[in-house]
Amino acid sequence: MTRGLEWTRADEKKLVAAVKNATSFEEAYALARAAFPALRKTQDQNITQKLARLGMRLSDVVKANQAKLAASDQAAELSRFALVAKKGLTLEELCDQLDISPKAAKARLAEAKAAGYRLDLAHGEIGYVPPKPLKGEKKVIAQPGEEHVFAVASDLHIGSKFCLEDQLVDFVTRAYKEDGVRTIFGPGDNLDGVYKHSRWDEEHHGFHAQSTRLAKILPQLPGLRYFMIAGNHDETFEKETGMDVCRATEDAFRRASRHDFQMMGARGAYVRFAPKGGRGVLVELWHPLGGGAYAVSYKLQRHVEEYGVGMKPDFVFAGHWHQQCYIVRRGVHCFLSGTFHGNGSSFGKALGGAQAIGGWVVRFKQTKDGTVRDVAPTWRGYYEQEGVRELGLG
């Protein structure tokens, strides 16, 4: 800035950057004077006029930032309320701990439920309500031109230092460009969560940081859509705060102006994938509990054997175990879905075993009666470090 309030373009950019987060006129003027020590209080009106000429009304900036601050305060207050309420207390105990009236507690409970926290009042007690299994199935109508192909990417563990983001992006991009994939399914553990054993292995801490990173990392491509479920790592945020992690993850994508991502439920979901809008195929996304078996396909086979009458899908994709395999059992095409999480953590090394890094691209045909034919799964595998290792001979 030169004398007499003559502004260069660099000065103008600096001024806008200085005041863009102000929550009052006084704060805006103070920030401007901090950025330009030569300015005096008597020149505050000149700052307002200069910003207006740059297309920035200071009153609008202040109001918008005040609204953001109020929303942030409300979110923090609801979070504190949920941390106490999720423990399972009587209404009276909750009021005593928070020093609020029963009427105020019920009003705050309503706000928390509207904001997506899994809390409820029943029989005089407030507590956390676990997610219920998805009843029935959801239908996914394919985009025009999409035929009989989809991809599966599981156990991403976004937020972990050992999440293989480059490999994940390469998998999605190649499936889209080379295989014509426009639908990607995910059987859980999209986020790394808040397990105590992994807190030191995380690069992005907390739900906001991890969900924001997920929305940034997953490629946004024309016509491409993601349909995911929550796994045990995702659900740690629910157990920690009482939030509805499926709804909250979708909200993170909406904040990033993305509408290509949808959570189908917790732990499991049936999805009807209909490339031509007809019967299509029934896909089960499953995120089980417990460790894997010596024979990698054993628990997958047992799962298929337990289907009741009329419950068999055409495809089932299991996450959680970080392994890959493909078998056909009782007419069901069964997959272990792999992972995009490396095995570099101390906890992972203690568990032992090698991760199957990569994802599936599945192409198939159907008869006019809906019978699945010519299933052609492609395992696209990756490694934590890809390079030629020199071997000494002799």
Side-chain angles (χ1 to χ4, degrees):
M1 185 179 64
T2 60
R3 287 184 181 175
L5 291 178
E6 295 177 7
W7 302 80
T8 66
R9 288 191 177 182
D11 290 333
E12 292 172 347
K13 291 181 179 179
K14 185 177 178 181
L15 178 63
V16 169
V19 304
K20 67 179 182 179
N21 295 319
T23 56
S24 67
F25 281 88
E26 291 74 15
E27 183 183 5
Y29 297 143
L31 290 170
R33 288 195 295 271
F36 299 99
L39 288 173
R40 298 184 298 277
K41 278 192 174 184
T42 55
Q43 296 171 312
D44 287 349
Q45 191 60 35
N46 299 97
I47 294 173
T48 305
Q49 293 171 356
K50 181 60 182 176
L51 289 169
R53 285 195 291 272
L54 293 174
M56 184 180 193
R57 291 184 60 186
L58 193 53
S59 59
D60 292 342
V61 172
V62 168
K63 287 179 182 178
N65 288 330
Q66 287 176 344
K68 288 181 183 177
L69 185 61
S72 177
D73 289 343
Q74 183 184 25
E77 189 64 33
L78 287 179
S79 178
R80 286 192 291 270
F81 174 81
L83 285 172
V84 177
K86 75 182 183 68
K87 298 175 183 178
L89 303 172
T90 66
L91 183 59
E92 184 179 356
E93 289 170 336
L94 180 68
C95 292
D96 287 342
Q97 286 203 24
L98 297 176
D99 193 24
I100 57 177
S101 68
K103 183 178 180 180
K106 291 178 180 179
R108 201 161 296 175
L109 173 63
E111 292 176 7
K113 290 172 69 174
Y117 287 96
R118 291 190 185 275
L119 301 171
D120 206 357
L121 173 63
H123 309 296
E125 291 191 355
I126 291 179
Y128 168 70
V129 180
K132 295 179 180 179
L134 179 68
K135 293 182 179 180
E137 60 185 57
K138 294 187 177 181
K139 196 166 187 177
V140 175
I141 302 298
Q143 300 293 322
E146 182 180 19
E147 291 186 11
H148 301 95
V149 62
F150 56 79
V152 180
S154 184
D155 292 80
L156 313 181
H157 290 272
I158 295 293
S160 169
K161 294 177 183 176
F162 306 102
C163 171
L164 303 173
E165 294 180 350
D166 292 341
Q167 288 88 329
L168 172 61
V169 171
D170 183 81
F171 172 76
V172 172
T173 305
R174 287 187 61 193
Y176 179 88
K177 293 182 177 179
E178 298 178 13
D179 303 294
V181 167
R182 295 297 181 269
T183 299
I184 294 182
F185 295 116
D189 282 355
N190 309 302
L191 309 177
D192 198 50
V194 285
Y195 275 117
K196 291 182 179 179
H197 65 73
S198 62
R199 68 176 63 181
W200 306 115
D201 295 328
E202 289 172 1
E203 191 168 21
H204 304 279
H205 296 270
F207 176 79
H208 178 77
Q210 291 184 19
S211 60
T212 300
R213 185 66 179 172
L214 178 65
K216 182 177 181 180
I217 285 299
L218 285 183
Q220 185 176 15
L221 299 166
L224 181 64
R225 300 168 301 163
Y226 300 88
F227 299 94
M228 316 293 232
I229 62 172
N232 57 294
H233 279 258
D234 303 294
E235 287 180 357
T236 57
F237 290 114
E238 292 212 356
K239 295 175 182 177
E240 184 82 4
T241 66
M243 72 190 306
D244 182 337
V245 74
C246 290
R247 173 175 167 176
T249 305
E250 288 184 348
D251 288 344
F253 276 75
R254 305 302 175 263
R255 288 195 300 272
S257 299
R258 293 188 59 171
H259 299 274
D260 56 345
F261 181 93
Q262 185 176 345
M263 294 291 287
M264 310 301 283
R267 293 290 185 169
Y270 282 90
V271 183
R272 177 73 61 182
F273 176 69
K276 295 181 180 179
R279 173 191 176 276
V281 292
L282 187 60
V283 177
E284 182 190 9
L285 304 177
W286 179 45
H287 198 93
L289 283 171
Y294 177 74
V296 293
S297 66
Y298 175 72
K299 289 193 173 183
L300 190 58
Q301 293 177 64
R302 288 294 305 273
H303 179 67
V304 174
E305 289 166 5
E306 292 168 357
Y307 285 129
V309 176
M311 292 297 293
K312 290 194 303 179
D314 298 293
F315 297 90
V316 57
F317 293 92
H320 186 63
W321 292 312
H322 293 199
Q323 296 296 319
Q324 69 93 351
C325 79
Y326 167 57
I327 59 172
V328 181
R329 189 81 169 176
R330 295 182 65 195
V332 181
H333 297 267
C334 314
F335 296 78
L336 295 183
S337 305
T339 183
F340 283 91
H341 186 258
N343 200 31
S345 69
S346 56
F347 183 77
K349 289 184 181 297
L351 291 177
Q355 316 274 42
I357 300 167
W360 289 100
V361 175
V362 181
R363 195 176 297 276
F364 63 94
K365 294 179 181 178
Q366 277 183 290
T367 68
K368 63 180 180 179
D369 298 318
T371 302
V372 178
R373 298 275 196 227
D374 301 335
V375 177
T378 299
W379 169 253
R380 187 154 288 154
Y382 295 84
Y383 298 90
E384 291 186 60
Q385 295 184 10
E386 300 192 10
V388 177
R389 177 182 293 179
E390 297 293 335
L391 297 177
L393 300 177

